[in-house]
């Protein structure tokens, strides 16, 4: 009999330092639980950007370095 699938760890990312901290926590938690890690990113269509609140910046995704 196979083990039941594990529930994924889900984290929202937006390029802010807070979401980077959350992503690191989620990655460690998913590894510890041997669970899938799902990243969620929502981008508004209005074209408004608010850098003070972590406007999305895809450089973090293009970097591809492992999280510590």
């Amino acid at each position: 009999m196979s083990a039941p699938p594990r529930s994924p760890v889900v984290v929202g990312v937006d390029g802010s330092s807070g979401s980077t901290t959350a992503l690191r926590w989620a990655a460690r938690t998913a590894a510890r639980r041997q669970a899938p890690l799902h990243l969620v990113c929502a981008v508004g269509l209005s074209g408004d950007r608010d850098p003070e609140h972590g406007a999305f910046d895809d450089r973090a995704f293009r970097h591809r370095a492992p999280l510590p």
Side-chain angles (χ1 to χ4, degrees), residues 9-13 16-29 37 67:
V9 175
V10 181
V11 62
V13 293
S16 67
S17 62
S19 77
T20 300
T21 300
L23 176 57
R24 285 188 177 117
W25 175 88
R28 286 192 294 268
T29 300
L37 174 62
L67 292 171

Side-chain angles (χ1 to χ4, degrees), residues 16-51:
S16 67
S17 62
S19 77
T20 300
T21 300
L23 176 57
R24 285 188 177 117
W25 175 88
R28 286 192 294 268
T29 300
R32 187 176 66 246
R33 294 182 184 172
Q34 297 181 342
L37 174 62
H38 293 189
L39 281 63
V40 177
C41 178
V43 179
L45 298 177
S46 69
D48 296 335
R49 292 182 167 242
D50 184 359

Side-chain angles (χ1 to χ4, degrees), residues 58-66:
D58 70 349
R59 288 178 292 175
F61 293 95
R62 289 185 276 146
H63 183 60
R64 306 268 190 243

Side-chain angles (χ1 to χ4, degrees), residues 1-6:
M1 192 173 358
S2 63
R6 299 193 187 275

